[in-house]
Amino acid sequence: MLLAPLHIAALASGAKSFCDNPILGSPWLNGKGLHRQRIKLAENMSDMRRRRLENLVSGQEAESFERDGFIVLENVLADDDFARLSNEVERNRFRATEMKQGNAVTRFIPLPPHLLKSYPALRDFTGGRVFRDRLRYVASTRGDPITYLHTVLTDPGKGKPDPQTAFHSDTFHATAKAWFFLRDVHEEDGPFVYVPGSHRLTPGRLAWEQAQSEHAASHPNRLHARGSFRATADEIRSMGFGEPRSLAVPANTLIVADTHGFHARGPSSRPSVRIGIYGSLRRSPFLPWTGLDPFCLPGIVGRKAVMHEWLDRKMANYKGKKPSLLDVGMLHPGDPAVR
């Protein structure tokens, strides 16, 4: 009862966990349409903000995003520029953390401003308009993205299947993730897979969301219960969407996707290493403005990744658990997994 005001206030934020908030997770309230109305309002607000950001992308890119939910740009950098960027990343060692999920290990290397001073090609790309403008357009906000060097190391012969290979939606509203690949990604390497058009609230998607919301708080899958809904291939087809599209792409390709749509990491059929620059941008879905992001303030801008890791450690210590991101020391991005 003491927390009730906070639980109610969360309705106007990006809070998504059904199992941690008895208001958001109420079967009775969701039966009356609480979740349904939140996701409809969130989509309307993101559309309104995105219309103000149309100058950030080309007309063809905007059309591709509206149809599919993602943008793909190949040959982003000139050959010499790409070679300089790739050499900076591949030939140097950085302080890294790792997260293990099934047979996959994801390595994160934060890119705060003081580090980027030593790597001009990396600084220019992560701060450049090609990377940032498309993240901001898809996320429908001019906020500051979180950025990492990002490596996915998968060995299908070791451990349980990677849970990221299950189709899922990250949250109930528009949110952007970007990958700029520094190596070719083949079909055997587990490429990014997306269900075209699933970023939109079609009648089928809306009905499915409604049904999920009424039981999500008690769902046995913890990620589902926390608002990152999992969906089977049959469920996705029943919503009226077509077949998933696997995005096996050459190096020097940028993919930016609205991960409110259904997506997954394709299963790897061989040991593989994916190296790229990763960005993510998500703000409260109900803000009417596109700017005014406190993370863009001097002294804070560019430090989201470092702040996230600090918070992850503090929360783990508070709960008496290991942090989800384990510090693994100084590594080349393509080195074998430590975890």
Side-chain angles (χ1 to χ4, degrees):
M1 292 297 292
L2 292 174
L3 292 175
L6 294 177
H7 291 319
I8 294 171
L11 293 174
S13 74
K16 64 175 185 175
S17 179
F18 291 78
C19 61
D20 296 317
N21 184 320
I23 304 298
L24 291 177
S26 167
W28 185 82
L29 288 174
N30 286 319
K32 297 296 183 180
L34 173 61
H35 177 67
R36 183 186 183 98
Q37 293 306 315
R38 281 187 94 215
I39 58 177
K40 288 171 66 176
L41 178 58
E43 181 172 84
N44 290 338
M45 295 296 287
S46 68
D47 287 344
M48 179 189 70
R49 292 191 305 268
R50 197 175 289 115
R51 285 193 291 270
R52 302 178 196 168
L53 302 174
E54 289 180 344
N55 64 311
L56 299 182
V57 298
S58 70
Q60 183 177 359
E61 289 167 352
E63 181 181 341
S64 174
F65 172 76
E66 179 60 29
R67 180 186 65 243
D68 297 326
F70 56 86
I71 297 170
V72 179
L73 296 178
E74 295 188 2
N75 299 312
V76 171
L77 296 177
D79 290 346
D80 290 346
D81 293 335
F82 180 73
R84 278 192 290 271
L85 175 58
S86 183
N87 287 337
E88 275 190 1
V89 172
E90 298 264 17
R91 295 182 180 180
N92 287 287
R93 292 159 59 91
F94 303 85
R95 187 189 67 79
T97 60
E98 290 182 353
M99 175 176 63
K100 183 173 176 58
Q101 294 179 296
N103 57 30
V105 171
T106 306
R107 177 174 297 149
F108 295 94
I109 297 172
L111 300 174
H114 67 270
L115 182 144
L116 290 174
K117 288 180 180 178
S118 302
Y119 302 99
L122 191 55
R123 179 196 63 220
D124 291 347
F125 182 81
T126 57
R129 293 195 60 179
V130 171
F131 186 66
R132 286 179 170 256
D133 282 1
R134 282 145 190 85
L135 266 169
R136 287 170 169 168
Y137 177 78
V138 171
S140 72
T141 174
R142 291 187 183 274
D144 184 45
I146 187 170
T147 54
Y148 293 95
L149 289 179
H150 185 258
T151 306
V152 180
L153 305 107
T154 305
D155 188 342
K158 294 182 179 179
K160 298 179 180 179
D162 174 7
Q164 296 301 321
T165 58
F167 281 106
H168 60 281
S169 167
D170 283 355
T171 189
F172 70 93
H173 60 89
T175 179
K177 288 185 177 179
W179 298 265
F180 179 66
F181 295 104
L182 300 177
R183 296 183 183 180
D184 295 342
V185 181
H186 300 281
E187 199 64 46
E188 298 86 357
D189 301 326
F192 181 66
V193 182
Y194 196 95
V195 178
S198 63
H199 63 309
R200 283 302 184 187
L201 291 178
T202 61
R205 172 78 186 263
L206 204 54
W208 183 84
E209 290 274 351
Q210 171 70 35
Q212 298 306 307
S213 70
E214 295 176 28
H215 308 285
S218 58
H219 198 280
N221 185 307
R222 194 68 172 171
L223 294 172
H224 191 101
R226 286 180 170 164
S228 179
F229 286 167
R230 270 49 191 164
T232 66
D234 286 342
E235 286 176 317
I236 290 171
R237 280 190 289 269
S238 73
M239 295 179 219
F241 299 120
E243 293 301 307
R245 181 175 165 188
S246 180
L247 300 175
V249 295
N252 199 12
T253 296
L254 174 67
I255 296 174
V256 187
D258 178 0
T259 51
H260 167 60
F262 291 110
H263 62 285
R265 185 184 295 155
S268 298
S269 60
R270 65 184 183 187
S272 61
V273 180
R274 280 174 32 186
I275 298 178
I277 297 170
Y278 167 81
S280 177
L281 183 53
R282 178 190 303 183
R283 291 190 72 193
S284 173
F286 305 118
L287 297 175
W289 51 78
T290 60
L292 301 176
D293 181 6
F295 288 102
C296 290
L297 291 172
I300 300 176
V301 65
R303 292 174 170 82
K304 265 187 178 179
V306 174
M307 295 167 68
H308 173 73
E309 290 188 354
W310 178 85
L311 182 61
D312 181 60
R313 290 193 298 271
K314 290 297 182 182
M315 291 299 294
N317 288 338
Y318 175 74
K319 296 178 180 179
K321 299 179 179 180
K322 291 183 178 180
S324 59
L325 297 171
L326 179 67
D327 194 323
V328 292
M330 300 292 290
L331 296 171
H332 292 95
D335 283 347
V338 174
R339 296 194 71 171

